[in-house]
Amino acid sequence: MLGASLFMTGSLPKSFRCMAPILAALTLMLGACGKREPSGVGALDADASLKQVATAMDRKDYALALVLLQPALQGRPNDPLVLNLKGAILTKTKDYDGALASYETALKSSPGFFAARYNIGALMALRQQWEPAIAYYKDLLRAQPNNELVQYKLLLLLLMRDSDAGLQGQLFPPGITSNTPAWYFAAAARAYKEGQPREAAKYIDVARSVFGDQTAIFQEELDESGLATAKR
């Protein structure tokens, strides 16, 4: 999950501004992408609530974050950003059924909302439903073939499961870099898989020097994959 301190993402490339809210507090980019609930009674309380949630999530106090989110849920009950954030908090508390329900509700409100679609697949991986997760992200990639975050997530899953070497080779091939941190983190993931942590660290250092805070989601996905700590 992403740290709440990253919710201000004005420096992200345009292609990332609508994918940034994916897992946690980047959902707090109010109005950056997706639809917002109209302003009305309680709108200011909802905004204040989301800012407090960001602070609580930075502190990893997810129980408090869920409590603080209530005014936003009451003020914007159909806002996919808020619903996705609830799902992200519940994911952190390992309430996977509750998280899935939140993501599905977000999609009912906004069927094309990418963050919730992405997170449903992430839940499958967290539940170690490997093959369904791989199939899910393959389908998502067919729908969004240029989405480098989906490509990266799929590559991590394939590497973890030693699956579909042909597709692995098509994802971020050597020598074809991208405009996001994805290529560098893909190279790092492959290096970890090959038992070369020093080589992996070099790619990550380059990515951080070029992209700064934009690397956070890629690092978090890499950490959650377990590739960096797996025994060889």
Side-chain angles (χ1 to χ4, degrees):
M1 301 295 156
L2 298 178
S5 62
L6 298 179
F7 78 95
M8 297 303 292
T9 56
S11 62
L12 287 178
K14 184 177 180 181
S15 61
F16 263 73
R17 290 180 189 167
C18 286
M19 99 177 36
I22 289 151
L23 298 176
L26 288 189
T27 305
L28 303 179
M29 295 189 323
L30 300 177
C33 60
K35 297 187 294 183
R36 282 189 64 175
E37 288 291 294
S39 298
V41 177
L44 293 178
D45 287 342
D47 285 348
S49 166
L50 291 173
K51 291 177 182 178
Q52 291 171 340
V53 170
T55 300
M57 294 193 74
D58 268 348
R59 296 173 179 170
K60 302 186 186 303
D61 191 342
Y62 303 115
L64 177 60
L66 195 58
V67 172
L68 294 172
L69 187 63
Q70 294 311 305
L73 288 167
Q74 293 170 9
R76 299 176 187 159
N78 299 314
D79 189 333
L81 292 169
V82 176
L83 293 165
N84 183 69
L85 181 55
K86 179 183 178 182
I89 297 170
L90 291 175
T91 299
K92 276 297 191 180
T93 66
K94 301 188 185 304
D95 180 359
Y96 296 149
D97 288 339
L100 179 59
S102 295
Y103 297 142
E104 289 177 339
T105 303
L107 287 176
K108 287 180 182 178
S109 176
S110 179
F113 189 59
F114 172 75
R117 292 183 66 192
Y118 182 94
N119 282 344
I120 288 173
L123 278 180
M124 294 178 187
L126 288 170
R127 286 173 151 165
Q128 298 185 354
Q129 298 170 344
W130 304 119
E131 295 311 313
I134 289 171
Y136 183 91
Y137 280 109
K138 283 182 177 179
D139 287 343
L140 189 53
L141 185 59
R142 291 187 190 100
Q144 300 192 22
N146 298 317
N147 189 316
E148 292 192 347
L149 185 60
V150 175
Q151 294 174 30
Y152 175 66
K153 181 68 172 181
L154 178 57
L155 176 63
L156 292 178
L157 289 168
L158 295 175
L159 289 171
M160 290 163 60
R161 304 304 295 168
D162 291 316
S163 177
D164 202 336
L167 180 55
Q168 286 185 40
Q170 296 174 37
L171 297 170
F172 307 106
I176 304 177
T177 57
S178 60
N179 293 322
T180 76
W183 184 90
Y184 297 94
F185 275 86
R190 287 187 167 105
Y192 278 125
K193 181 68 176 178
E194 295 167 1
Q196 301 175 356
R198 291 184 179 178
E199 189 71 13
K202 291 178 182 178
Y203 285 114
I204 292 173
D205 286 344
V206 171
R208 287 175 176 163
S209 69
V210 174
F211 296 100
D213 287 345
Q214 296 169 38
T215 62
I217 189 169
F218 296 95
Q219 182 66 63
E220 190 161 358
E221 290 286 15
L222 181 60
D223 291 343
E224 289 188 359
S225 75
L227 286 168
T229 56
K231 294 182 180 180
R232 305 298 172 203

